[in-house]
Amino acid sequence: MNTSDSILFEISTPLGFSVRTTWNYWQKIMAKHPDLIDHLQQIKQTLASPIEVRQSSRDIDILLFYGEKEKYWTVAVARRLNGEGFLITAYRTDVIKEGTKIWPK
């Protein structure tokens, strides 16, 4: 049984830090992006083995992890603060956003 503040997952990224989220926060993301409800594993895979990672053009602490593209890119957005990573949101898009490509170099 999940409690609202329990860690849903913590995934190591190829950038040397982990990204985590709670069960409660995941539910908030799913409310905004219901097309991802059954795609938790895909989001975790995107963080663990991204095709590309870009640094946000608006905030250097925000990273956009892009997963395998089918019809759309799967994007997991994380904030890295003091060496720790937190999932901010996840969504699908048809284009890679602006920002500095930081992985792979």
Side-chain angles (χ1 to χ4, degrees):
M1 183 173 172
N2 291 308
T3 61
S4 63
D5 60 349
S6 65
I7 299 293
L8 178 62
F9 67 76
E10 185 165 359
I11 301 291
S12 294
T13 71
L15 300 176
F17 69 97
S18 294
V19 172
R20 69 177 182 252
T21 197
T22 63
W23 178 256
N24 191 39
Y25 198 78
W26 179 251
Q27 295 305 312
K28 290 178 183 180
I29 293 171
M30 293 303 93
K32 289 183 181 180
H33 303 284
D35 57 318
L36 292 176
I37 285 175
D38 295 325
H39 297 280
L40 177 60
Q41 286 306 119
Q42 189 175 15
I43 299 302
K44 290 163 65 174
Q45 181 66 29
T46 296
L47 290 164
S49 299
I51 301 299
E52 185 171 306
V53 179
R54 289 188 174 253
Q55 187 175 51
S56 169
S57 58
R58 296 184 199 150
D59 185 333
I60 61 169
D61 294 324
I62 295 179
L63 301 172
L64 292 84
F65 291 76
Y66 289 87
E68 295 267 345
K69 183 177 183 185
E70 293 169 10
K71 185 175 181 183
Y72 297 100
W73 293 97
T74 298
V75 186
V77 182
R79 174 180 294 280
R80 181 173 51 183
L81 190 61
N82 299 323
E84 295 187 37
F86 307 92
L87 186 68
I88 295 175
T89 193
Y91 58 91
R92 291 185 173 163
T93 185
D94 56 353
V95 295
I96 291 180
K97 307 293 186 230
E98 291 181 14
T100 305
K101 181 178 173 182
I102 61 170
W103 194 90
K105 292 191 176 200

